[in-house]
Amino acid sequence: MDITLQAIMSQALLGLNNGAFYALLSLGLAVIFGMLNVVNFAHGAFYMLGAFVALLGYDQLGRWLGDESIRMSFWVALIIGPIIVGLLGVLIEKTMLSRLYKVDHLYGLLLTFGLALIFEGVLSNYFNMAGEPYNGKPEILEGAINLGFMVFPKYRLFSIVLSLSVCFAVWYLIEKTKLGSHLRAGTENPDVTRAFGIDVPSLRTLTYFLGVALAGLAGVVAAPIYSVSPKMGSDLIIIVFAVVVIGGMGSIMGAILTGIALGLLEGLVKVFYPPLANTVIFIVMALVLLWRPSGLFGKEN
Amino acid sequence: MNAPVIKLASVASLQKKKTHFTPWIIALLLASVAPFIIYPIFAMELMCFALFACAFNLLLGFGGLLSFGHAAFFGGAAYLCGHAIKHWGFSPELGILFAMLGAAILGLAIGSIAIRRQGIYFAMVTLALAQIVFFLCLQLPFTGGEDGLQGIPKGHLFGLIDLSSTVSVGQQQLPLALYFFVLAITFGGYWLIWRTVHSPFGMVLKAIKENEPRALSLGYQVNRYKLATFVLSAALAGLAGATKALVVGLASLSDVSWHMSGEVVLMTLLGGMGTLLGPLVGAVTVSTLHHELASLGSWVTVTIGVVFVVCVMAFRRGIVGEIAYRLKRSF
C-alpha cells in the first residue's frame, strides 16, 4: 500500500471538516437533551431544512418575488437559515413538545421521529432524492489555500473554523453566562427555579430554538460542500446519535470534543481501510459503552 | 408510591383467569379463509409483520424497553435464512431455525451491551448497534450489497411438501402450502409470546416494568430478566424476518435499516403497546396503509409521520388499548 503523508493529511482535514459538522449537530442534540430531556430525532431533518433554506433562497427566491435577479447570498443564508429553522422549532415546541414533558421521555423521541418523516416526505415530493448542488458559494471562499505542507480548499477551512467557533461560543453561553446558569438550574430543578421567578417554559422554548438553530446553521454551512437532498439528514442523524452516546448524553463539552475526534478518526480510517469507515464510529461506541456505560464525558449514575 | 402496588395486584389476578379458547379458534378460522379473499402474498407479509410487532411489543409493552434497533434481528435473520437455503441447501424449516438462532445470538450480544443503560439511552444504544449490523449487511460478501439477496428458493418442507406449489381455486393459483406454513409459524410465535406474558416469568417482567427498584429489592436479578426478554424478542423478530424472506424470496437492506425499526415502533404504538392484540392490529393497519397508498409516492412517508404524531399527541393508548380502556378489560 502506498500512502503518502499528503494523502493522510488531506483525509485528516476532510475528517476534521466532518467532525466539525458532527460537533455542531451533536452539540444541538446535547443541548436539547440536557435541558429538555428530549432525544430530538428530527435533528437531521432540521439540518436538511437549513440546507434547503440556503438552496431555495439562492435558486428560487427571485422567482417567487417576481424578479429573477434577486438571490439570497450565502452570508444572508447563514443568518436567516438558522432563524427560520429555529422558529419552526419554536412552533413545534409550543404546540407539541411542551405537552410531552410530563409523560415518559420516550414519547418525545417518537414525536420527533414522526416529524422527521413528515419533513423528509414533503420535501421528497418536490426535490430530487439524488440531491441538487448549491451554487451560491461566495467568491472569496473559492479556490484553495496553500498550507505549506498541502493545498486545502478555502471553503472547507472556513467551515471548520466557523463551526468550531460557534461550538465554543455556545459552550461559553451555557457554562459561563447568567442565561446559561438559568438554563442549567431549570434542568436540575424546574420547580425551585420557577420559585425564583425565572420563566421556565420560556427557557425551554429558547433552548429548543437554540438547539434546532444550530442544526439549521450546520445545514447552511454544509450546502456548498454536500449536495442538498431530502435524505441528507437521515443519513447523518444516526452517526450524530452515536457521537452523543460516546460523548455522554447531555454533556456539552463531550459532544464537541467527541464530534471532532470521531470525524478525524473516520477520515483516517478512510485512508487505511475504507470499508470500515462507515462503521468505525459505531464500533467505537460499542467499545466505549462496554468500558464506560455513561459515555466518555457523562456523569456516572 | 401506591400505584405500583395496585398494579401488581391486578397482575396477580390475571394469573387466576381461565384460558379462553374461543378467540383463538375464531382467529384461526378467519386466517384460514383469508387467502381466498385477499392477495395471499400480502396476507403472508401481514402475518410476518404482525409477528415482528408482537415480538417487539414483548420487549416494549411488557418489559418497558424501547429498542430502536429491532430491524437488525428482523433483517439480519432474513439474510441468514436466505443464505442458508440458497447457498448451503438448507431445507426451509432448518433455514428458518438457523436464522432464528442467529438472531438470538445477535440479540444476546446487542442486549448485553444495551441493558447497561436505561430509557432513552437504551433506545439510542440499540439504534447505533443495529447500525453496525446494517453496515455489515451492506458490505459482507454474501449479502449482495445494495441489491440484496435475491431468488431465495422456497424448497420442500421437511423434504416432503413443496412450498412453491399452488392450488388452483377458481381463476386463481393460491400458494396454500406456503400460506399454512406461515400461518403455523405466526400462531406458534404468538402463542409463545402469550405463554411468556402469562407465566411467572411474565409477572416478574411486569413487576420490573412497573417499579424496577422494588423488583430489585425483592431479590430479582432484574438484568437477567431483561436480557432473557431481549433475546426472546430478538429470536422471534428473527423468526418473522426469516419467514418474510422465504415468502418474498428476497432479503434486502430495507429490512435491516433503521426505518424498519421505526416502522415496528409505530405498529406497536398505533395498535396499543402492552396489549397482546395491539401489535397485530397495528401491523395490519400500517401495512395496509403502505399497500393502499403506494401510488402516492412520498406522501406515504408523510402520512405515516402524521399517524405517528397523532398517536403520540392524542392517542397514546393505541387502538386496542383505547378500546380496552373504554371496556375496562384486558386484551
Side-chain angles (χ1 to χ4, degrees):
Chain A
M1 208 154 55
D2 183 31
I3 296 166
T4 60
L5 183 67
Q6 182 149 20
I8 295 175
M9 287 308 294
S10 82
Q11 277 301 331
L13 271 171
L14 289 180
L16 188 63
N17 195 185
N18 280 338
F21 284 124
Y22 296 162
L24 209 51
L25 286 169
S26 55
L27 172 64
L29 267 185
V31 167
I32 292 171
F33 180 76
M35 309 289 160
L36 311 180
N37 262 323
V38 168
V39 173
N40 191 30
F41 220 112
H43 215 67
F46 286 119
Y47 162 80
M48 178 267 290
L49 289 175
F52 267 100
V53 170
L55 179 81
L56 297 179
Y58 191 77
D59 287 348
Q60 303 286 338
L61 188 66
R63 197 186 310 162
W64 292 337
L65 295 177
D67 179 0
E68 295 274 351
S69 64
I70 299 176
R71 285 183 187 282
M72 188 164 77
S73 83
F74 176 76
W75 305 110
V76 177
L78 220 45
I79 307 293
I80 298 287
I83 292 178
I84 290 180
V85 172
L87 289 179
L88 183 66
V90 168
L91 184 72
I92 288 165
E93 201 276 343
K94 285 267 184 217
T95 56
M96 295 184 230
L97 267 182
S98 59
R99 292 164 197 227
L100 297 175
Y101 295 141
K102 288 206 166 65
V103 295
D104 196 320
H105 300 325
L106 297 173
Y107 287 108
L109 187 157
L110 297 177
L111 174 81
T112 47
F113 178 77
L115 291 173
L117 289 182
I118 294 175
F119 293 142
E120 203 183 298
V122 169
L123 285 168
S124 300
N125 274 294
Y126 300 108
F127 299 97
N128 190 353
M129 292 303 264
E132 300 185 25
Y134 173 74
N135 300 317
K137 189 157 83 177
E139 246 171 64
I140 191 170
L141 297 174
E142 290 286 357
I145 191 167
N146 195 342
L147 296 175
F149 56 91
M150 66 175 291
V151 176
F152 197 70
K154 270 189 202 164
Y155 185 82
R156 284 190 180 262
L157 213 54
F158 161 79
S159 74
I160 293 172
V161 172
L162 178 76
S163 307
L164 297 187
S165 322
V166 170
C167 282
F168 286 102
V170 171
W171 171 80
Y172 185 83
L173 174 78
I174 290 172
E175 298 290 338
K176 304 284 172 200
T177 64
K178 196 172 175 194
L179 178 67
S181 69
H182 288 177
L183 283 174
R184 281 177 287 130
T187 331
E188 291 287 326
N189 197 332
D191 294 332
V192 172
T193 314
R194 192 169 293 154
F196 274 103
I198 295 165
D199 185 359
V200 174
S202 297
L203 274 184
R204 284 182 171 150
T205 309
L206 180 71
T207 304
Y208 200 67
F209 173 85
L210 179 69
V212 164
L214 284 172
L217 177 71
V220 176
V221 178
I225 300 181
Y226 308 108
S227 61
V228 179
S229 90
K231 277 257 175 247
M232 64 191 285
S234 70
D235 297 337
L236 198 55
I237 184 77
I238 314 290
I239 296 178
V240 177
F241 275 158
V243 170
V244 177
V245 172
I246 298 169
M249 284 185 69
S251 161
I252 305 290
M253 193 46 100
I256 300 173
L257 295 180
T258 316
I260 300 166
L262 287 174
L264 263 175
L265 176 70
E266 196 186 36
L268 291 177
V269 170
K270 214 169 258 170
V271 184
F272 293 104
Y273 189 60
L276 197 64
N278 285 325
T279 331
V280 68
I281 289 182
F282 300 104
I283 294 172
V284 170
M285 192 204 70
L287 294 176
V288 168
L289 284 172
L290 282 171
W291 170 56
R292 257 187 87 103
S294 49
L296 292 177
F297 297 82
K299 293 183 199 88
E300 292 284 347
N301 54 349
Chain B
M1 294 289 267
N2 279 327
V5 183
I6 298 164
K7 279 179 182 158
L8 276 180
S10 71
V11 169
S13 70
L14 258 180
Q15 219 164 10
K16 290 180 204 132
K17 267 187 197 160
K18 276 188 197 155
T19 311
H20 296 293
F21 287 107
T22 340
W24 291 84
I25 294 167
I26 294 173
L28 261 177
L29 282 175
L30 278 177
S32 302
V33 295
F36 303 99
I37 301 161
I38 56 174
Y39 184 55
I41 302 282
F42 178 61
M44 286 187 277
E45 273 195 280
L46 272 187
M47 287 194 284
C48 294
F49 280 123
L51 181 58
F52 182 28
C54 290
F56 173 79
N57 183 48
L58 177 64
L59 195 61
L60 174 63
F62 297 100
L65 297 166
L66 172 62
S67 156
F68 226 103
H70 250 48
F73 312 118
F74 184 75
Y79 277 106
L80 287 178
C81 173
H83 187 74
I85 292 177
K86 191 178 172 188
H87 296 289
W88 294 340
F90 275 38
S91 60
E93 73 282 357
L94 280 182
I96 287 175
L97 276 177
F98 169 74
M100 207 177 156
L101 185 70
I105 293 170
L106 190 62
L108 187 65
I110 291 183
S112 49
I113 297 177
I115 55 162
R116 296 155 68 98
R117 304 308 317 264
Q118 289 171 341
I120 299 175
Y121 302 87
F122 178 85
M124 311 246 311
V125 173
T126 47
L127 174 64
L129 290 174
Q131 210 57 17
I132 297 181
V133 177
F134 176 83
F135 285 118
L136 283 177
C137 289
L138 181 64
Q139 281 169 349
L140 283 179
F142 76 89
T143 57
E146 301 270 353
D147 301 327
L149 199 62
Q150 297 177 355
I152 300 166
K154 300 208 168 27
H156 289 70
L157 184 61
F158 306 119
L160 296 170
I161 307 159
D162 183 4
L163 287 181
S164 57
S165 67
T166 55
V167 179
S168 52
V169 177
Q171 307 276 304
Q172 286 173 302
Q173 293 289 319
L174 300 179
L176 288 184
L178 184 63
Y179 182 85
F180 283 100
F181 178 53
V182 174
L183 182 63
I185 287 176
T186 309
F187 259 78
Y190 189 76
W191 180 81
L192 191 63
I193 291 168
W194 185 85
R195 262 319 308 154
T196 308
V197 170
H198 290 87
S199 69
F201 177 87
M203 300 300 145
V204 178
L205 205 57
K206 277 193 180 173
I208 293 172
K209 189 194 167 200
E210 301 294 352
N211 191 337
E212 189 167 328
R214 180 187 297 265
L216 205 59
S217 68
L218 284 171
Y220 289 113
Q221 301 260 7
V222 169
N223 276 355
R224 281 195 199 170
Y225 278 90
K226 282 186 183 173
L227 187 59
T229 314
F230 196 92
V231 172
L232 183 61
S233 173
L236 287 167
L239 176 65
T243 310
K244 181 176 173 265
L246 189 73
V247 168
V248 294
L250 171 74
S252 70
L253 278 179
S254 72
D255 289 347
V256 243
S257 74
W258 62 267
H259 291 96
M260 182 58 81
S261 298
E263 198 100 308
V264 77
V265 179
L266 176 62
M267 289 172 182
T268 309
L269 184 67
L270 177 62
M273 54 176 91
T275 63
L276 274 167
L277 270 181
L280 286 175
V281 175
V284 172
T285 316
V286 173
S287 299
T288 312
L289 266 180
H290 271 295
H291 194 70
E292 296 295 319
L293 301 178
S295 58
L296 293 178
S298 309
W299 291 113
V300 184
T301 318
V302 180
T303 313
I304 300 281
V306 170
V307 173
F308 233 117
V309 170
V310 169
C311 278
V312 172
M313 292 308 300
F315 202 54
R316 281 193 279 275
R317 285 194 196 94
I319 297 170
V320 173
E322 193 69 38
I323 295 171
Y325 177 76
R326 303 256 154 141
L327 300 177
K328 302 264 183 279
R329 282 190 53 186
S330 76
F331 284 89

